[in-house]
mmCIF file of all heavy atoms in Angstrom:
data_model
loop_
_atom_site.group_PDB
_atom_site.id
_atom_site.type_symbol
_atom_site.label_atom_id
_atom_site.label_comp_id
_atom_site.label_asym_id
_atom_site.label_seq_id
_atom_site.Cartn_x
_atom_site.Cartn_y
_atom_site.Cartn_z
ATOM 1 N N SER S 824 17.388 -25.739 39.753
ATOM 2 C CA SER S 824 16.169 -26.426 40.157
ATOM 3 C C SER S 824 15.225 -26.713 38.990
ATOM 4 O O SER S 824 14.163 -27.269 39.188
ATOM 5 C CB SER S 824 15.423 -25.554 41.196
ATOM 6 O OG SER S 824 15.082 -24.299 40.644
ATOM 7 N N GLY S 825 15.634 -26.314 37.779
ATOM 8 C CA GLY S 825 14.815 -26.553 36.616
ATOM 9 C C GLY S 825 14.480 -25.287 35.883
ATOM 10 O O GLY S 825 15.099 -24.220 36.091
ATOM 11 N N MET S 826 13.515 -25.346 34.977
ATOM 12 C CA MET S 826 13.101 -24.178 34.196
ATOM 13 C C MET S 826 12.050 -23.406 34.966
ATOM 14 O O MET S 826 10.978 -23.927 35.265
ATOM 15 C CB MET S 826 12.526 -24.630 32.843
ATOM 16 C CG MET S 826 12.146 -23.489 31.932
ATOM 17 S SD MET S 826 13.586 -22.590 31.292
ATOM 18 C CE MET S 826 14.233 -23.812 30.126
ATOM 19 N N ASN S 827 12.364 -22.150 35.320
ATOM 20 C CA ASN S 827 11.466 -21.327 36.109
ATOM 21 C C ASN S 827 10.991 -20.124 35.307
ATOM 22 O O ASN S 827 11.742 -19.596 34.484
ATOM 23 C CB ASN S 827 12.168 -20.848 37.387
ATOM 24 C CG ASN S 827 12.571 -21.997 38.295
ATOM 25 O OD1 ASN S 827 11.802 -22.940 38.450
ATOM 26 N ND2 ASN S 827 13.746 -21.903 38.874
ATOM 27 N N ALA S 828 9.776 -19.714 35.568
ATOM 28 C CA ALA S 828 9.194 -18.529 34.891
ATOM 29 C C ALA S 828 9.221 -17.321 35.820
ATOM 30 O O ALA S 828 8.884 -17.453 37.015
ATOM 31 C CB ALA S 828 7.753 -18.832 34.467
ATOM 32 N N TYR S 829 9.627 -16.163 35.300
ATOM 33 C CA TYR S 829 9.696 -14.924 36.096
ATOM 34 C C TYR S 829 8.930 -13.831 35.356
ATOM 35 O O TYR S 829 9.041 -13.697 34.131
ATOM 36 C CB TYR S 829 11.146 -14.491 36.293
ATOM 37 C CG TYR S 829 11.985 -15.517 37.049
ATOM 38 C CD1 TYR S 829 12.690 -16.515 36.364
ATOM 39 C CD2 TYR S 829 12.071 -15.493 38.428
ATOM 40 C CE1 TYR S 829 13.454 -17.456 37.033
ATOM 41 C CE2 TYR S 829 12.833 -16.423 39.127
ATOM 42 C CZ TYR S 829 13.525 -17.393 38.425
ATOM 43 O OH TYR S 829 14.283 -18.321 39.104
ATOM 44 N N ASP S 830 8.161 -13.063 36.107
ATOM 45 C CA ASP S 830 7.416 -11.965 35.509
ATOM 46 C C ASP S 830 8.254 -10.685 35.493
ATOM 47 O O ASP S 830 9.177 -10.541 36.282
ATOM 48 C CB ASP S 830 6.084 -11.728 36.228
ATOM 49 C CG ASP S 830 6.311 -11.341 37.685
ATOM 50 O OD1 ASP S 830 7.274 -11.836 38.302
ATOM 51 O OD2 ASP S 830 5.526 -10.545 38.216
ATOM 52 N N GLY S 831 7.891 -9.774 34.604
ATOM 53 C CA GLY S 831 8.654 -8.536 34.478
ATOM 54 C C GLY S 831 7.931 -7.463 33.697
ATOM 55 O O GLY S 831 6.778 -7.630 33.287
ATOM 56 N N GLU S 832 8.634 -6.357 33.480
ATOM 57 C CA GLU S 832 8.090 -5.236 32.734
ATOM 58 C C GLU S 832 9.235 -4.533 32.011
ATOM 59 O O GLU S 832 10.424 -4.762 32.317
ATOM 60 C CB GLU S 832 7.383 -4.257 33.672
ATOM 61 C CG GLU S 832 8.282 -3.704 34.778
ATOM 62 C CD GLU S 832 7.537 -2.802 35.728
ATOM 63 O OE1 GLU S 832 6.734 -1.990 35.241
ATOM 64 O OE2 GLU S 832 7.773 -2.885 36.953
ATOM 65 N N SER S 833 8.900 -3.720 31.030
ATOM 66 C CA SER S 833 9.918 -2.974 30.264
ATOM 67 C C SER S 833 9.467 -1.564 29.980
ATOM 68 O O SER S 833 8.260 -1.278 29.983
ATOM 69 C CB SER S 833 10.238 -3.724 28.948
ATOM 70 O OG SER S 833 9.137 -3.627 28.062
ATOM 71 N N LYS S 834 10.447 -0.694 29.743
ATOM 72 C CA LYS S 834 10.185 0.700 29.386
ATOM 73 C C LYS S 834 11.016 1.047 28.157
ATOM 74 O O LYS S 834 12.195 0.713 28.070
ATOM 75 C CB LYS S 834 10.530 1.624 30.531
ATOM 76 C CG LYS S 834 9.703 1.411 31.800
ATOM 77 C CD LYS S 834 10.140 2.374 32.899
ATOM 78 C CE LYS S 834 9.293 2.163 34.153
ATOM 79 N NZ LYS S 834 9.712 3.086 35.269
ATOM 80 N N THR S 835 10.368 1.750 27.215
ATOM 81 C CA THR S 835 11.033 2.142 25.974
ATOM 82 C C THR S 835 10.807 3.627 25.719
ATOM 83 O O THR S 835 9.689 4.114 25.852
ATOM 84 C CB THR S 835 10.530 1.343 24.763
ATOM 85 O OG1 THR S 835 10.785 -0.050 24.993
ATOM 86 C CG2 THR S 835 11.214 1.782 23.484
ATOM 87 N N GLN S 836 11.863 4.330 25.404
ATOM 88 C CA GLN S 836 11.775 5.752 24.976
ATOM 89 C C GLN S 836 12.580 5.861 23.656
ATOM 90 O O GLN S 836 13.617 5.255 23.521
ATOM 91 C CB GLN S 836 12.356 6.698 26.002
ATOM 92 C CG GLN S 836 11.725 6.607 27.379
ATOM 93 C CD GLN S 836 12.396 5.615 28.273
ATOM 94 O OE1 GLN S 836 13.600 5.385 28.180
ATOM 95 N NE2 GLN S 836 11.630 4.983 29.162
ATOM 96 N N GLY S 837 12.056 6.621 22.726
ATOM 97 C CA GLY S 837 12.791 6.785 21.488
ATOM 98 C C GLY S 837 12.259 7.929 20.633
ATOM 99 O O GLY S 837 11.232 8.533 20.934
ATOM 100 N N ILE S 838 12.974 8.181 19.537
ATOM 101 C CA ILE S 838 12.571 9.193 18.575
ATOM 102 C C ILE S 838 12.937 8.691 17.188
ATOM 103 O O ILE S 838 14.006 8.113 16.975
ATOM 104 C CB ILE S 838 13.247 10.570 18.894
ATOM 105 C CG1 ILE S 838 12.729 11.640 17.948
ATOM 106 C CG2 ILE S 838 14.764 10.446 18.860
ATOM 107 C CD1 ILE S 838 13.132 13.037 18.377
ATOM 108 N N ASP S 839 12.006 8.873 16.239
ATOM 109 C CA ASP S 839 12.198 8.458 14.864
ATOM 110 C C ASP S 839 12.283 9.659 13.933
ATOM 111 O O ASP S 839 11.495 10.599 14.073
ATOM 112 C CB ASP S 839 11.022 7.564 14.403
ATOM 113 C CG ASP S 839 10.957 6.238 15.124
ATOM 114 O OD1 ASP S 839 12.018 5.741 15.510
ATOM 115 O OD2 ASP S 839 9.834 5.714 15.299
ATOM 116 N N PHE S 840 13.202 9.610 12.975
ATOM 117 C CA PHE S 840 13.319 10.624 11.942
ATOM 118 C C PHE S 840 13.147 9.946 10.601
ATOM 119 O O PHE S 840 13.668 8.835 10.363
ATOM 120 C CB PHE S 840 14.707 11.273 11.983
ATOM 121 C CG PHE S 840 15.021 11.966 13.272
ATOM 122 C CD1 PHE S 840 15.655 11.273 14.306
ATOM 123 C CD2 PHE S 840 14.730 13.306 13.455
ATOM 124 C CE1 PHE S 840 15.955 11.903 15.487
ATOM 125 C CE2 PHE S 840 15.027 13.949 14.652
ATOM 126 C CZ PHE S 840 15.648 13.231 15.675
ATOM 127 N N PHE S 841 12.394 10.592 9.700
ATOM 128 C CA PHE S 841 12.106 9.978 8.397
ATOM 129 C C PHE S 841 12.077 11.055 7.312
ATOM 130 O O PHE S 841 11.469 12.099 7.493
ATOM 131 C CB PHE S 841 10.769 9.269 8.433
ATOM 132 C CG PHE S 841 10.318 8.709 7.102
ATOM 133 C CD1 PHE S 841 10.841 7.521 6.621
ATOM 134 C CD2 PHE S 841 9.364 9.383 6.344
ATOM 135 C CE1 PHE S 841 10.436 7.019 5.392
ATOM 136 C CE2 PHE S 841 8.945 8.889 5.110
ATOM 137 C CZ PHE S 841 9.480 7.698 4.642
ATOM 138 N N VAL S 842 12.740 10.783 6.195
ATOM 139 C CA VAL S 842 12.755 11.702 5.031
ATOM 140 C C VAL S 842 12.622 10.871 3.777
ATOM 141 O O VAL S 842 13.320 9.873 3.585
ATOM 142 C CB VAL S 842 14.007 12.553 4.973
ATOM 143 C CG1 VAL S 842 13.989 13.446 3.724
ATOM 144 C CG2 VAL S 842 14.182 13.402 6.222
ATOM 145 N N LYS S 843 11.694 11.270 2.894
ATOM 146 C CA LYS S 843 11.496 10.583 1.611
ATOM 147 C C LYS S 843 11.359 11.594 0.498
ATOM 148 O O LYS S 843 10.698 12.637 0.675
ATOM 149 C CB LYS S 843 10.263 9.675 1.670
ATOM 150 C CG LYS S 843 10.031 8.890 0.375
ATOM 151 C CD LYS S 843 8.836 7.969 0.473
ATOM 152 C CE LYS S 843 7.527 8.721 0.397
ATOM 153 N NZ LYS S 843 6.353 7.839 0.283
ATOM 154 N N THR S 844 11.926 11.285 -0.657
ATOM 155 C CA THR S 844 11.792 12.167 -1.810
ATOM 156 C C THR S 844 11.429 11.353 -3.029
ATOM 157 O O THR S 844 11.889 10.213 -3.196
ATOM 158 C CB THR S 844 13.081 12.962 -2.084
ATOM 159 O OG1 THR S 844 12.907 13.806 -3.228
ATOM 160 C CG2 THR S 844 14.257 12.018 -2.324
ATOM 161 N N GLU S 845 10.554 11.905 -3.869
ATOM 162 C CA GLU S 845 10.100 11.225 -5.097
ATOM 163 C C GLU S 845 10.208 12.207 -6.262
ATOM 164 O O GLU S 845 9.793 13.369 -6.170
ATOM 165 C CB GLU S 845 8.659 10.750 -4.967
ATOM 166 C CG GLU S 845 8.423 9.721 -3.888
ATOM 167 C CD GLU S 845 6.964 9.274 -3.798
ATOM 168 O OE1 GLU S 845 6.115 10.016 -4.355
ATOM 169 O OE2 GLU S 845 6.693 8.240 -3.188
ATOM 170 N N PHE S 846 10.785 11.749 -7.367
ATOM 171 C CA PHE S 846 10.868 12.576 -8.577
ATOM 172 C C PHE S 846 11.059 11.661 -9.780
ATOM 173 O O PHE S 846 11.801 10.684 -9.740
ATOM 174 C CB PHE S 846 12.052 13.575 -8.485
ATOM 175 C CG PHE S 846 13.395 12.958 -8.352
ATOM 176 C CD1 PHE S 846 14.189 12.734 -9.472
ATOM 177 C CD2 PHE S 846 13.888 12.579 -7.121
ATOM 178 C CE1 PHE S 846 15.441 12.157 -9.356
ATOM 179 C CE2 PHE S 846 15.144 12.021 -6.971
ATOM 180 C CZ PHE S 846 15.921 11.805 -8.107
ATOM 181 N N ARG S 847 10.317 11.943 -10.816
ATOM 182 C CA ARG S 847 10.388 11.179 -12.085
ATOM 183 C C ARG S 847 10.338 9.668 -11.848
ATOM 184 O O ARG S 847 11.139 8.903 -12.374
ATOM 185 C CB ARG S 847 11.669 11.533 -12.828
ATOM 186 C CG ARG S 847 11.756 13.003 -13.254
ATOM 187 C CD ARG S 847 13.052 13.284 -13.980
ATOM 188 N NE ARG S 847 13.127 14.704 -14.367
ATOM 189 C CZ ARG S 847 14.190 15.254 -14.956
ATOM 190 N NH1 ARG S 847 15.262 14.485 -15.234
ATOM 191 N NH2 ARG S 847 14.200 16.523 -15.280
ATOM 192 N N GLN S 848 9.408 9.231 -11.031
ATOM 193 C CA GLN S 848 9.194 7.819 -10.723
ATOM 194 C C GLN S 848 10.342 7.165 -9.963
ATOM 195 O O GLN S 848 10.453 5.956 -9.894
ATOM 196 C CB GLN S 848 8.887 7.023 -11.998
ATOM 197 C CG GLN S 848 7.589 7.425 -12.670
ATOM 198 C CD GLN S 848 7.263 6.520 -13.844
ATOM 199 O OE1 GLN S 848 8.100 6.187 -14.648
ATOM 200 N NE2 GLN S 848 5.983 6.153 -13.948
ATOM 201 N N GLN S 849 11.228 7.987 -9.400
ATOM 202 C CA GLN S 849 12.317 7.473 -8.554
ATOM 203 C C GLN S 849 11.997 7.814 -7.101
ATOM 204 O O GLN S 849 11.476 8.883 -6.813
ATOM 205 C CB GLN S 849 13.660 8.071 -8.956
ATOM 206 C CG GLN S 849 13.881 8.317 -10.433
ATOM 207 C CD GLN S 849 13.711 7.081 -11.293
ATOM 208 O OE1 GLN S 849 14.009 5.971 -10.873
ATOM 209 N NE2 GLN S 849 13.214 7.288 -12.504
ATOM 210 N N THR S 850 12.297 6.917 -6.213
ATOM 211 C CA THR S 850 11.987 7.103 -4.802
ATOM 212 C C THR S 850 13.213 6.782 -3.929
ATOM 213 O O THR S 850 13.842 5.744 -4.152
ATOM 214 C CB THR S 850 10.816 6.204 -4.350
ATOM 215 O OG1 THR S 850 9.673 6.454 -5.175
ATOM 216 C CG2 THR S 850 10.458 6.454 -2.905
ATOM 217 N N PHE S 851 13.510 7.687 -2.983
ATOM 218 C CA PHE S 851 14.612 7.460 -2.063
ATOM 219 C C PHE S 851 14.137 7.871 -0.668
ATOM 220 O O PHE S 851 13.429 8.872 -0.523
ATOM 221 C CB PHE S 851 15.843 8.291 -2.440
ATOM 222 C CG PHE S 851 16.393 7.946 -3.792
ATOM 223 C CD1 PHE S 851 15.987 8.678 -4.919
ATOM 224 C CD2 PHE S 851 17.323 6.936 -3.955
ATOM 225 C CE1 PHE S 851 16.489 8.392 -6.170
ATOM 226 C CE2 PHE S 851 17.820 6.621 -5.236
ATOM 227 C CZ PHE S 851 17.410 7.346 -6.330
ATOM 228 N N TRP S 852 14.500 7.106 0.347
ATOM 229 C CA TRP S 852 14.150 7.501 1.687
ATOM 230 C C TRP S 852 15.205 7.036 2.684
ATOM 231 O O TRP S 852 15.956 6.095 2.453
ATOM 232 C CB TRP S 852 12.765 7.006 2.077
ATOM 233 C CG TRP S 852 12.538 5.502 2.094
ATOM 234 C CD1 TRP S 852 11.995 4.754 1.072
ATOM 235 C CD2 TRP S 852 12.812 4.608 3.156
ATOM 236 N NE1 TRP S 852 11.932 3.444 1.452
ATOM 237 C CE2 TRP S 852 12.406 3.332 2.734
ATOM 238 C CE3 TRP S 852 13.340 4.752 4.445
ATOM 239 C CZ2 TRP S 852 12.534 2.187 3.528
ATOM 240 C CZ3 TRP S 852 13.470 3.631 5.243
ATOM 241 C CH2 TRP S 852 13.059 2.388 4.787
ATOM 242 N N VAL S 853 15.231 7.717 3.798
ATOM 243 C CA VAL S 853 16.146 7.407 4.891
ATOM 244 C C VAL S 853 15.423 7.571 6.218
ATOM 245 O O VAL S 853 14.602 8.496 6.370
ATOM 246 C CB VAL S 853 17.420 8.276 4.828
ATOM 247 C CG1 VAL S 853 17.070 9.752 4.903
ATOM 248 C CG2 VAL S 853 18.404 7.913 5.946
ATOM 249 N N SER S 854 15.688 6.701 7.142
ATOM 250 C CA SER S 854 15.085 6.796 8.486
ATOM 251 C C SER S 854 16.142 6.499 9.535
ATOM 252 O O SER S 854 17.088 5.731 9.298
ATOM 253 C CB SER S 854 13.897 5.831 8.636
ATOM 254 O OG SER S 854 14.348 4.471 8.636
ATOM 255 N N TYR S 855 15.969 7.112 10.685
ATOM 256 C CA TYR S 855 16.915 6.903 11.794
ATOM 257 C C TYR S 855 16.114 6.828 13.098
ATOM 258 O O TYR S 855 15.191 7.629 13.322
ATOM 259 C CB TYR S 855 17.925 8.058 11.860
ATOM 260 C CG TYR S 855 18.745 8.049 13.140
ATOM 261 C CD1 TYR S 855 19.747 7.075 13.341
ATOM 262 C CD2 TYR S 855 18.520 8.971 14.152
ATOM 263 C CE1 TYR S 855 20.490 7.062 14.494
ATOM 264 C CE2 TYR S 855 19.276 8.962 15.307
ATOM 265 C CZ TYR S 855 20.252 8.006 15.480
ATOM 266 O OH TYR S 855 20.983 7.993 16.639
ATOM 267 N N THR S 856 16.468 5.887 13.930
ATOM 268 C CA THR S 856 15.820 5.708 15.241
ATOM 269 C C THR S 856 16.849 5.733 16.344
ATOM 270 O O THR S 856 17.864 5.046 16.278
ATOM 271 C CB THR S 856 15.035 4.372 15.290
ATOM 272 O OG1 THR S 856 14.016 4.370 14.304
ATOM 273 C CG2 THR S 856 14.438 4.178 16.657
ATOM 274 N N LEU S 857 16.604 6.569 17.335
ATOM 275 C CA LEU S 857 17.380 6.608 18.536
ATOM 276 C C LEU S 857 16.458 6.152 19.686
ATOM 277 O O LEU S 857 15.404 6.770 19.927
ATOM 278 C CB LEU S 857 17.912 8.012 18.839
ATOM 279 C CG LEU S 857 18.605 8.238 20.174
ATOM 280 C CD1 LEU S 857 19.893 7.409 20.242
ATOM 281 C CD2 LEU S 857 18.913 9.716 20.380
ATOM 282 N N SER S 858 16.802 5.073 20.370
ATOM 283 C CA SER S 858 15.895 4.545 21.376
ATOM 284 C C SER S 858 16.667 3.899 22.534
ATOM 285 O O SER S 858 17.869 3.628 22.434
ATOM 286 C CB SER S 858 14.957 3.519 20.748
ATOM 287 O OG SER S 858 15.677 2.371 20.312
ATOM 288 N N ARG S 859 15.927 3.647 23.605
ATOM 289 C CA ARG S 859 16.472 2.978 24.780
ATOM 290 C C ARG S 859 15.389 2.135 25.382
ATOM 291 O O ARG S 859 14.285 2.601 25.650
ATOM 292 C CB ARG S 859 16.981 4.003 25.804
ATOM 293 C CG ARG S 859 17.597 3.404 27.047
ATOM 294 C CD ARG S 859 18.235 4.509 27.895
ATOM 295 N NE ARG S 859 18.902 3.970 29.073
ATOM 296 C CZ ARG S 859 18.359 3.899 30.269
ATOM 297 N NH1 ARG S 859 17.110 4.337 30.479
ATOM 298 N NH2 ARG S 859 19.013 3.393 31.304
ATOM 299 N N THR S 860 15.693 0.851 25.599
ATOM 300 C CA THR S 860 14.749 -0.086 26.209
ATOM 301 C C THR S 860 15.363 -0.748 27.422
ATOM 302 O O THR S 860 16.445 -1.337 27.334
ATOM 303 C CB THR S 860 14.323 -1.179 25.181
ATOM 304 O OG1 THR S 860 13.743 -0.561 24.047
ATOM 305 C CG2 THR S 860 13.320 -2.142 25.819
ATOM 306 N N THR S 861 14.661 -0.633 28.546
ATOM 307 C CA THR S 861 15.133 -1.267 29.790
ATOM 308 C C THR S 861 14.072 -2.232 30.296
ATOM 309 O O THR S 861 12.889 -2.122 29.931
ATOM 310 C CB THR S 861 15.431 -0.224 30.862
ATOM 311 O OG1 THR S 861 14.265 0.573 31.106
ATOM 312 C CG2 THR S 861 16.586 0.683 30.444
ATOM 313 N N GLU S 862 14.476 -3.166 31.140
ATOM 314 C CA GLU S 862 13.559 -4.169 31.661
ATOM 315 C C GLU S 862 13.888 -4.512 33.116
ATOM 316 O O GLU S 862 15.000 -4.290 33.570
ATOM 317 C CB GLU S 862 13.620 -5.455 30.802
ATOM 318 C CG GLU S 862 14.986 -6.098 30.845
ATOM 319 C CD GLU S 862 15.099 -7.292 29.878
ATOM 320 O OE1 GLU S 862 14.231 -7.451 29.031
ATOM 321 O OE2 GLU S 862 16.072 -8.064 30.026
ATOM 322 N N ASN S 863 12.896 -5.028 33.799
ATOM 323 C CA ASN S 863 13.060 -5.463 35.193
ATOM 324 C C ASN S 863 12.285 -6.734 35.409
ATOM 325 O O ASN S 863 11.071 -6.774 35.181
ATOM 326 C CB ASN S 863 12.609 -4.362 36.150
ATOM 327 C CG ASN S 863 12.869 -4.731 37.604
ATOM 328 O OD1 ASN S 863 13.671 -5.614 37.897
ATOM 329 N ND2 ASN S 863 12.180 -4.075 38.513
ATOM 330 N N PHE S 864 12.953 -7.803 35.817
ATOM 331 C CA PHE S 864 12.309 -9.088 36.107
ATOM 332 C C PHE S 864 12.481 -9.450 37.571
ATOM 333 O O PHE S 864 13.391 -8.958 38.252
ATOM 334 C CB PHE S 864 12.890 -10.193 35.206
ATOM 335 C CG PHE S 864 12.385 -10.178 33.792
ATOM 336 C CD1 PHE S 864 13.020 -9.413 32.849
ATOM 337 C CD2 PHE S 864 11.263 -10.913 33.421
ATOM 338 C CE1 PHE S 864 12.552 -9.366 31.549
ATOM 339 C CE2 PHE S 864 10.798 -10.874 32.131
ATOM 340 C CZ PHE S 864 11.423 -10.118 31.184
ATOM 341 N N SER S 865 11.617 -10.313 38.047
ATOM 342 C CA SER S 865 11.577 -10.644 39.462
ATOM 343 C C SER S 865 12.826 -11.378 39.922
ATOM 344 O O SER S 865 13.079 -11.427 41.127
ATOM 345 C CB SER S 865 10.337 -11.481 39.773
ATOM 346 O OG SER S 865 10.260 -12.622 38.942
ATOM 347 N N TYR S 866 13.634 -11.933 39.001
ATOM 348 C CA TYR S 866 14.853 -12.591 39.454
ATOM 349 C C TYR S 866 16.047 -11.638 39.521
ATOM 350 O O TYR S 866 17.138 -12.053 39.886
ATOM 351 C CB TYR S 866 15.162 -13.792 38.540
ATOM 352 C CG TYR S 866 15.577 -13.449 37.114
ATOM 353 C CD1 TYR S 866 16.935 -13.326 36.784
ATOM 354 C CD2 TYR S 866 14.632 -13.307 36.128
ATOM 355 C CE1 TYR S 866 17.303 -13.048 35.501
ATOM 356 C CE2 TYR S 866 14.999 -13.028 34.832
ATOM 357 C CZ TYR S 866 16.333 -12.887 34.513
ATOM 358 O OH TYR S 866 16.717 -12.619 33.239
ATOM 359 N N PHE S 867 15.857 -10.363 39.158
ATOM 360 C CA PHE S 867 16.943 -9.378 39.328
ATOM 361 C C PHE S 867 17.114 -9.128 40.828
ATOM 362 O O PHE S 867 16.193 -8.726 41.529
ATOM 363 C CB PHE S 867 16.599 -8.077 38.629
ATOM 364 C CG PHE S 867 16.607 -8.166 37.110
ATOM 365 C CD1 PHE S 867 16.909 -9.354 36.444
ATOM 366 C CD2 PHE S 867 16.346 -7.043 36.325
ATOM 367 C CE1 PHE S 867 16.938 -9.441 35.071
ATOM 368 C CE2 PHE S 867 16.376 -7.116 34.938
ATOM 369 C CZ PHE S 867 16.668 -8.307 34.317
ATOM 370 N N THR S 868 18.326 -9.313 41.311
ATOM 371 C CA THR S 868 18.553 -9.212 42.754
ATOM 372 C C THR S 868 18.471 -7.787 43.280
ATOM 373 O O THR S 868 18.122 -7.565 44.437
ATOM 374 C CB THR S 868 19.932 -9.799 43.101
ATOM 375 O OG1 THR S 868 20.947 -9.117 42.335
ATOM 376 C CG2 THR S 868 19.991 -11.281 42.790
ATOM 377 N N ASP S 869 18.774 -6.769 42.454
ATOM 378 C CA ASP S 869 18.766 -5.403 42.957
ATOM 379 C C ASP S 869 17.446 -4.688 42.659
ATOM 380 O O ASP S 869 17.231 -3.559 43.095
ATOM 381 C CB ASP S 869 19.913 -4.617 42.344
ATOM 382 C CG ASP S 869 19.913 -4.615 40.821
ATOM 383 O OD1 ASP S 869 18.947 -5.125 40.222
ATOM 384 O OD2 ASP S 869 20.882 -4.101 40.217
ATOM 385 N N GLY S 870 16.532 -5.300 41.885
ATOM 386 C CA GLY S 870 15.248 -4.701 41.609
ATOM 387 C C GLY S 870 15.291 -3.516 40.669
ATOM 388 O O GLY S 870 14.289 -2.798 40.503
ATOM 389 N N LYS S 871 16.415 -3.283 40.017
ATOM 390 C CA LYS S 871 16.570 -2.118 39.124
ATOM 391 C C LYS S 871 16.323 -2.520 37.659
ATOM 392 O O LYS S 871 16.459 -3.677 37.282
ATOM 393 C CB LYS S 871 17.971 -1.525 39.265
ATOM 394 C CG LYS S 871 18.287 -0.967 40.649
ATOM 395 C CD LYS S 871 19.690 -0.383 40.686
ATOM 396 C CE LYS S 871 20.036 0.200 42.042
ATOM 397 N NZ LYS S 871 21.413 0.748 42.119
#
């Protein structure tokens, strides 16, 4: 029927880890993210 607009919402849960070290003007760092993002729009037939 054409281009239709649908409203919705989302949920995000996550955890971030970060480590950085500096010595003699040298810098190194590492980061890790574990997350989960879900969404629900009005065109979803099951509402989940």
Side-chain angles (χ1 to χ4, degrees):
S824 61
M826 184 70 72
N827 297 320
Y829 299 91
D830 61 326
E832 58 182 319
S833 70
K834 296 179 180 179
T835 299
Q836 304 88 33
I838 185 169
D839 293 330
F840 300 90
F841 175 79
V842 177
K843 182 178 74 172
T844 179
E845 297 180 344
F846 61 95
R847 297 180 181 177
Q848 295 185 317
Q849 324 303 328
T850 303
F851 299 92
W852 61 264
V853 58
S854 67
Y855 169 72
T856 298
L857 173 65
S858 65
R859 181 172 183 264
T860 301
T861 57
E862 62 186 14
N863 184 19
F864 282 87
S865 54
Y866 69 92
F867 289 1
T868 56
D869 57 6
K871 296 180 179 179

